[in-house]
Amino acid sequence: MGAPSDRAPSDRAPGDTALGDGQMGDRAMLAALDAEIAPGGDAAAQDTAFPPLPEDRFLDRERSWLAFNERVLELAEDPATPLLERANFLSIFASNLDEFFMVRVAGLKRRIATGVATRSLTGRPPGEVLEDIWSVAREQLARQATCYQREVNPLLAEQGIHLLRWPDLAEHEQTTLFSLFRKRIFPVLTPLAVDPAHPFPYISGLSLNLAVVVRNPATGHRHFARVKVPPLLSRFLEVSPRRFVPVEDVIAAHLEELFPGMVVLAHHVFRVTRNEDLEVEEDDTENLIQALEKELLRRRFGPPVRLEVEESIDSEVLDLLVRELKIRREEVIAVPGPLDLTGLHSIAGIDRPELKYPKFVAGTHRDLAEVESASAPDIFAALRTRDVLLHHPYDSFSTSVQAFLEQAAADPDVLAIKQTLYRTSGDSPIVDALIDAAESGKQVLVLVEIKARFDEHANIKWARKLEESGCHVVYGLVGLKTHCKLSLVVRQEGEDLRRYAHVGTGNYHPKTARVYEDLGLLTADPDVGADLSDLFNRLSGYSRREHYRRLLVAPRSLREGLVSRIGREIEHHRAGRPAWVRFKSNSIVDEAVIDALYRASQAGVPVDIWVRGICALRPGVPGLSENVRVRSVLGRFLEHSRVYAFAAGGEAEVWLGSADLMHRNLDRRIEVLVRVTDPAHRSTLTRLLAAGTSDTTESWHLDSEGHWRRHATDEDGQPLRRVQEMLIEARRKRRGTSS
């Protein structure tokens, strides 16, 4: 399908106000909502039901993302955050910003260059949006450098963890590194000269490089050369216990070895960020894997969007880099060294538990735990008794979802397994279980999303490995990414077939399941099983089913399903019945959903939004959104689950699943929400949403101008409770353990 390839895959294009494919126009959707919730349902009554919504009702999407990353930076700056966790948050901040430039900024630059960028939701021209991004990014990078140099690095040194530069090393340490350089680094270095016979070399994205200036003593001529820091080397080399030095410093100290007979005059570290977006025209492609592999090769040569240099760089060298890379001066960011603090992730992994969050090991969910023996629980037997609501990482992934699939693969009564894979780990036990199932003769269908951004290579590898083992591998529907998280197991039980299912909010990734907060529903409910059978048939065949029993599925029914339920809350409120809306999402950008929430607020319905990242909704605007509160929670775990709950007149209606409230999710992906029917599970989820949006728990609050303010203490200055710590404590009490 052509449409996705000319849009930034992380959402719609920055500055593009057009609604996504298959979405009703803003006015049409709003009119439909007004007609539904106006007294008597008369469309003609909409003008009297609500006033027109203001033009400036949306916050800027790019600024909102930058504000999210600023919250990550605030955790790194917070002295109350354990020291090695502060280093880790500095790494996460840097990694987030790299991806933002590779995708969002690159997409905006491309659209400006081709003349297709339009004004943003806030009405700003695209050039102004880009200038704003650069201004905010520079300010944040300066804060990051200050936090590292003046706070985190000195505090690490006080704890015996030294991140040093070459001149700070002792003489014997420099001698040790010289030996290391000759044995392990020198053989893999390739200095590239730049002169009339040697064109300026290609600089790969996110690689660290040394710009070297040398002089020929025989002629007196100065020359420029580039030395790439090999990416397989450790970012920080440990020269002696707990004493580290950046690898580029070691290379720089031995440049004479690379340029014998020349005089090394200067060296400067630089780093280029390139457009890493993929464009695959699926409509014109017979073999999607082959097309994607070609595009992955082409991605390495995407145009540059950012040049990072150390502040000490020589002006002539900088001029040369700017000229040869064809990058504008305003796209250069100069910061104190070292560059690329994503490498702090390895430092954060040092075994110093007293400098980290207290250790927490997830336990088996109580409904799956085998009390009377040490044998693995029979998950199928448990699900025949009740649905199981999982909350990772507080509930173990390995003893729930992973065990579910491993048991299915080993069970001779299981006839078929159907599975979606968006991202998984390099040594995936999920993939191993699917391969075992296929090799034992079971029917195994795996839908691998090979267009999962930055995991394309890995997913192509998994797809081929699964095919070789006898699995039926498909790649979903043309033009749509398959982002839903689904497992379906078909089992012979006597004369009948029973279907067991898992619907989740997170990827089937055992490693990230230990640090990502996600929800999942394990169930043997016949309606869910029938729904997933129908959906998998649509994904692998030619079914056109659009309506399901307990599912909302994008791109057809999910947006409309949520908007209509928001409208029903207005009806309940007017009738004097309990009415509220509580959403938990990674991002909320979709105009139709936001407008529906504005209408609910105008009608007097309380709306609570718990968002991790982007939020284009303005809360607290008189006459528009004074009944809307927006909160954000960041901490040791990455909040990743999506929950959509409604008071529904007294018996709450709750949905969970894979979909964020963005155009990409609602228009260009297969996303699934499942309705939670167990009263205890609905209560658990509504209490979770209430805790995350409560004024008595720590969070960031969004105001009507788009500013986020952290609320970490009460009126007496006492620390507020943290939702994640509360959940950890609850699990420990349940298991009767203190660790």
Side-chain angles (χ1 to χ4, degrees):
M1 179 175 176
S5 64
D6 59 15
R7 295 173 181 265
S10 56
D11 190 20
R12 65 179 171 78
D16 178 6
T17 58
L19 298 180
D21 301 331
Q23 180 180 351
M24 299 173 65
D26 234 353
R27 294 182 179 178
M29 176 67 79
L30 196 55
L33 174 64
D34 285 341
E36 181 172 352
I37 62 183
D42 184 0
Q46 62 180 290
D47 291 338
T48 59
F50 292 104
L53 294 172
E55 292 292 331
D56 62 349
R57 63 191 184 274
F58 301 112
L59 294 172
D60 184 83
R61 184 237 186 269
E62 313 306 329
R63 257 194 175 276
S64 187
W65 187 93
L66 289 166
F68 151 66
N69 211 29
E70 184 175 10
R71 298 196 291 280
V72 176
L73 182 57
E74 286 182 33
L75 289 174
E77 294 171 328
D78 185 358
T81 302
L83 183 54
L84 285 177
E85 306 293 351
R86 295 180 69 180
N88 194 43
F89 281 121
L90 286 174
S91 169
I92 293 170
F93 168 85
S95 179
N96 286 346
L97 198 61
D98 284 347
E99 182 172 339
F100 180 73
F101 272 90
M102 287 190 293
V103 178
R104 297 299 304 179
V105 176
L108 180 53
K109 279 192 62 178
R110 184 176 67 244
R111 283 161 180 79
I112 292 174
T114 55
V116 299
T118 57
R119 290 180 178 269
S120 69
L121 278 176
T122 59
R124 295 194 302 162
E128 185 178 312
V129 172
L130 191 58
E131 290 176 6
D132 190 41
I133 288 172
W134 281 107
S135 175
V136 175
R138 279 196 176 86
E139 177 187 339
Q140 291 183 352
L141 283 167
R143 284 176 55 183
Q144 181 201 31
T146 298
C147 180
Y148 170 74
Q149 292 190 327
R150 299 184 183 178
E151 298 180 39
V152 172
N153 198 12
L155 290 171
L156 287 171
E158 291 179 10
Q159 296 295 326
I161 301 171
H162 299 272
L163 302 183
L164 307 167
R165 303 308 297 264
W166 181 262
D168 303 322
L169 298 174
E171 184 176 349
H172 73 276
E173 291 175 323
Q174 293 183 350
T175 301
T176 299
L177 285 173
F178 175 72
S179 176
L180 175 71
F181 174 83
R182 293 301 302 268
K183 292 179 180 178
R184 293 179 46 200
I185 301 177
F186 177 82
V188 297
L189 294 179
T190 304
L192 296 174
V194 176
D195 57 33
H198 300 86
F200 190 86
Y202 176 78
I203 309 297
S204 54
L206 301 186
S207 64
L208 276 176
N209 301 269
L210 291 174
V212 184
V213 181
V214 299
R215 185 179 69 239
N216 186 328
T219 65
H221 292 161
R222 291 160 55 101
H223 301 279
F224 174 87
R226 172 261 192 154
V227 178
K228 179 179 178 179
V229 178
L232 296 181
L233 296 176
S234 299
R235 179 69 186 85
F236 292 95
L237 299 177
E238 188 171 15
V239 59
S240 55
R242 300 292 189 265
R243 288 173 64 83
F244 301 86
V245 63
V247 63
E248 67 269 23
D249 280 18
V250 178
I251 296 173
H254 299 93
L255 287 174
E256 290 83 359
E257 300 290 320
L258 291 170
F259 302 97
M262 306 292 282
V263 178
V264 177
L265 300 177
H267 66 270
H268 306 282
V269 181
F270 69 96
R271 186 171 182 256
V272 174
T273 308
R274 293 187 175 274
N275 184 337
E276 296 281 345
D277 208 350
L278 290 178
E279 299 184 59
V280 178
E281 296 284 349
E282 296 178 53
D283 283 344
D284 302 325
T285 300
E286 293 184 6
N287 189 314
L288 184 57
I289 280 191
Q290 290 180 3
L292 190 61
E293 287 178 320
K294 291 179 181 178
E295 186 64 22
L296 286 169
L297 291 174
R298 192 158 50 246
R299 182 166 74 178
R300 296 172 48 205
F301 302 96
V305 295
R306 178 181 61 166
L307 171 62
E308 295 173 272
V309 298
E310 291 190 321
E311 290 178 336
S312 59
I313 191 168
D314 179 85
S315 60
E316 291 186 13
V317 173
L318 180 57
D319 288 341
L320 184 147
L321 292 175
V322 168
R323 182 175 65 252
E324 295 292 346
L325 291 169
K326 296 179 174 60
I327 200 164
R328 298 182 302 167
R329 276 283 184 169
E330 53 266 35
E331 295 171 334
V332 178
I333 295 183
V335 296
L339 300 182
D340 187 17
L341 292 183
T342 60
L344 289 175
H345 177 73
S346 63
I347 302 300
I350 291 174
D351 186 18
R352 290 287 298 274
E354 74 277 15
L355 302 180
K356 301 180 182 182
Y357 289 121
K359 185 177 180 180
F360 171 71
V361 178
T364 301
H365 190 286
R366 60 184 175 187
D367 292 338
L368 298 177
E370 183 66 55
V371 177
E372 297 181 357
S373 74
S375 62
D378 185 338
I379 295 180
F380 297 142
L383 297 185
R384 287 193 293 271
T385 303
R386 64 177 70 85
D387 288 357
V388 175
L389 178 67
L390 300 167
H391 196 183
H392 310 298
Y394 313 104
D395 297 319
S396 168
F397 180 89
S398 63
T399 60
S400 57
V401 179
Q402 180 179 324
F404 169 64
L405 289 168
E406 290 174 338
Q407 182 176 332
D411 190 334
D413 292 327
V414 168
L415 305 180
I417 302 174
K418 300 184 179 185
Q419 175 77 40
T420 63
L421 284 181
Y422 191 76
R423 303 186 199 276
T424 189
S425 58
D427 51 348
S428 173
I430 303 297
V431 172
D432 291 342
L434 296 172
I435 290 174
D436 290 344
E439 292 179 345
S440 66
K442 296 176 172 60
Q443 293 292 312
V444 179
L445 172 71
V446 187
L447 196 145
V448 179
E449 181 46 75
I450 57 173
K451 301 186 297 296
R453 193 192 316 128
F454 304 129
D455 274 342
E456 298 94 347
H457 280 298
N459 285 8
I460 289 173
K461 182 187 74 173
W462 291 129
R464 288 186 165 141
K465 185 175 181 180
L466 288 162
E467 283 180 325
E468 291 168 0
S469 70
C471 297
H472 301 293
V473 179
V474 295
Y475 308 111
L477 303 178
V478 171
L480 297 172
K481 281 188 179 181
T482 303
H483 189 249
C484 50
K485 324 298 183 184
L486 310 172
S487 294
L488 179 66
V489 172
V490 182
R491 190 170 187 266
Q492 183 78 47
E493 297 183 358
E495 298 297 321
D496 300 319
L497 292 180
R498 190 188 297 267
R499 287 175 284 207
Y500 298 85
H502 174 262
V503 180
T505 69
N507 299 306
Y508 292 93
H509 198 306
K511 292 182 179 178
T512 60
R514 294 194 287 267
V515 292
Y516 279 33
E517 178 271 342
D518 272 303
L519 292 159
L521 183 69
L522 282 168
T523 180
D525 179 81
D527 284 345
V528 175
D531 279 347
L532 291 195
S533 291
D534 291 338
L535 181 56
F536 272 109
N537 288 341
R538 180 186 173 196
L539 295 175
S540 64
Y542 292 107
S543 169
R544 293 182 56 83
R545 177 179 289 276
E546 296 180 2
H547 299 287
Y548 300 85
R549 303 158 188 83
R550 277 183 60 183
L551 304 182
L552 291 175
V553 180
R556 295 299 181 185
S557 64
L558 204 155
R559 176 190 286 107
E560 290 78 3
L562 293 178
V563 168
S564 67
R565 283 163 176 80
I566 295 170
R568 291 177 202 168
E569 292 305 304
I570 298 175
E571 296 176 0
H572 289 310
H573 178 74
R574 287 175 172 165
R577 296 186 292 268
W580 44 255
V581 177
R582 295 174 186 162
F583 285 179
K584 183 177 187 292
S585 181
N586 291 315
S587 299
I588 174 167
V589 176
D590 188 75
E591 297 97 327
V593 175
I594 291 175
D595 283 348
L597 294 171
Y598 284 147
R599 292 306 197 198
S601 173
Q602 289 177 322
V605 176
V607 176
D608 282 323
I609 304 294
W610 178 353
V611 64
R612 184 186 86 225
I614 308 162
C615 182
L617 181 152
R618 290 183 184 271
V621 178
L624 177 68
S625 56
E626 63 263 50
N627 292 308
V628 180
R629 300 187 307 170
V630 179
R631 305 287 187 260
S632 184
V633 173
L634 279 76
R636 65 185 295 175
F637 304 133
L638 183 142
E639 294 290 331
H640 192 249
S641 65
R642 296 89 165 181
V643 186
Y644 303 100
F646 309 88
E651 186 175 344
E653 182 178 342
V654 184
W655 299 76
L656 67 83
S658 59
D660 288 315
L661 301 180
M662 304 176 74
H663 298 166
R664 69 177 185 184
N665 301 91
L666 303 181
D667 294 322
R668 303 192 299 278
R669 289 185 174 186
I670 302 295
E671 303 276 13
V672 169
L673 300 181
V674 62
R675 181 164 52 86
V676 179
T677 57
D678 185 292
H681 294 165
R682 294 201 306 267
S683 177
T684 295
L685 293 174
T686 54
R687 291 199 307 271
L688 173 67
L689 294 176
T693 56
S694 171
D695 288 337
T696 63
T697 53
E698 179 181 318
S699 63
W700 279 260
H701 296 191
L702 179 65
D703 67 19
S704 60
E705 298 303 313
H707 302 131
W708 291 89
R709 291 180 173 82
R710 191 177 184 185
H711 288 250
T713 58
D714 60 19
E715 294 179 353
D716 299 324
Q718 297 301 310
L720 295 173
R721 297 290 305 279
R722 296 177 178 175
V723 173
Q724 294 182 355
E725 291 180 359
M726 292 163 58
L727 291 167
I728 288 174
E729 182 180 340
R731 289 307 193 277
R732 285 172 173 164
K733 287 182 177 178
R734 181 185 298 174
R735 300 202 304 265
T737 177
S738 59
S739 62

